[in-house]
Amino acid sequence: MEETRKKHIGKFLSLVLRHEPSKIGITLDDNGWADVEELISKCAKHRVSFTRKELDEIVETNNKKRYSFNEDETKIRANQGHSIAVDLEFTAVEPPMFLYHGTADRFLNSIEAEGVKKMSRQHVHLSQDKETAINVGSRHGRVVVLTILAGKMYADGIAFYQSANGVWLTDYIDPKYISK
């Protein structure tokens, strides 16, 4: 599949599966799953047509591993990043000592005063390496990578989760857990 086409379909899937399923008239279940056949059919009615084979390719090759199928591959969901309430059935896990959060430098004053908030999403997203944090933060302006004292947070009783694609998630990062 052509890369431009794959990117266009992927962005539309991200919108539908993370933020606005109602845009095409589908409903996600409590755990964020959508019926694959209904998704393909209703996307086509909104001028974003793709085959099941193309959907398989997008799920398999997406560089951010944004989507997963259920065991029998009849349902699909986004792995994280939802702005709508879904229960992705995460189990709390112990994070590494340090995690990283990429952001734009224009947000630093707010972060230093108020911490890192999940804003419209269900969780704050963190990465295990600086390179990924740089890529994420650079989408928002001049990038700054914050080192998060995840091990200390965990020791203090704060829950962490890891999504199917390796992204680390938590509810909030108090400024005291941001390394200076």
Side-chain angles (χ1 to χ4, degrees):
M1 178 185 334
E2 175 197 340
E3 205 55 41
T4 305
R5 176 170 162 68
K6 192 187 295 187
K7 190 178 237 180
H8 172 71
I9 295 167
K11 284 185 177 217
F12 193 73
L13 289 173
S14 182
L15 171 70
V16 170
L17 295 175
R18 294 166 72 193
H19 309 294
E20 286 186 71
S22 62
K23 183 169 188 73
I24 64 167
I26 65 169
T27 303
L28 306 181
D29 72 14
D30 292 344
N31 303 118
W33 295 106
D35 179 83
V36 170
E37 294 306 318
E38 181 184 23
L39 176 72
I40 292 169
S41 169
K42 292 199 173 173
C43 281
K45 290 178 181 173
H46 287 79
R47 298 189 202 113
V48 182
S49 295
F50 51 90
T51 65
R52 172 59 195 253
K53 184 177 177 184
E54 289 173 319
L55 180 62
D56 290 347
E57 182 180 338
I58 289 167
V59 171
E60 188 176 311
T61 63
N62 181 270
N63 64 341
K64 295 181 182 175
K65 302 290 181 205
R66 283 209 167 141
Y67 318 103
S68 296
F69 288 116
N70 67 345
E71 282 186 28
D72 65 3
E73 298 192 354
T74 59
K75 295 183 179 192
I76 185 173
R77 74 176 175 190
N79 288 321
Q80 89 281 324
H82 297 80
S83 60
I84 55 176
V86 295
D87 176 6
L88 296 175
E89 306 167 288
F90 291 133
T91 301
V93 292
E94 183 173 357
M97 190 65 67
F98 303 103
L99 290 170
Y100 304 95
H101 181 75
T103 190
D105 65 347
R106 70 179 182 274
F107 300 131
L108 274 182
N109 289 340
S110 172
I111 289 171
E112 288 172 354
E114 302 173 27
V116 182
K117 300 176 181 179
K118 56 188 172 182
M119 307 307 281
S120 64
R121 295 193 177 183
Q122 286 191 307
H123 297 98
V124 172
H125 293 200
L126 303 165
S127 56
Q128 202 157 329
D129 61 87
K130 290 181 183 178
E131 183 179 315
T132 302
I134 289 168
N135 290 337
V136 170
S138 65
R139 296 184 308 203
H140 306 289
R142 203 167 80 204
V143 68
V144 174
V145 175
L146 305 173
T147 299
I148 307 304
L149 306 176
K152 173 97 173 90
M153 289 176 67
Y154 183 78
D156 289 348
I158 297 168
F160 281 84
Y161 312 96
Q162 193 172 27
S163 70
N165 62 354
V167 174
W168 284 91
L169 307 166
T170 193
D171 288 333
Y172 166 73
I173 301 167
D174 188 286
K176 71 182 179 183
Y177 296 113
I178 301 170
S179 178
K180 300 294 183 211

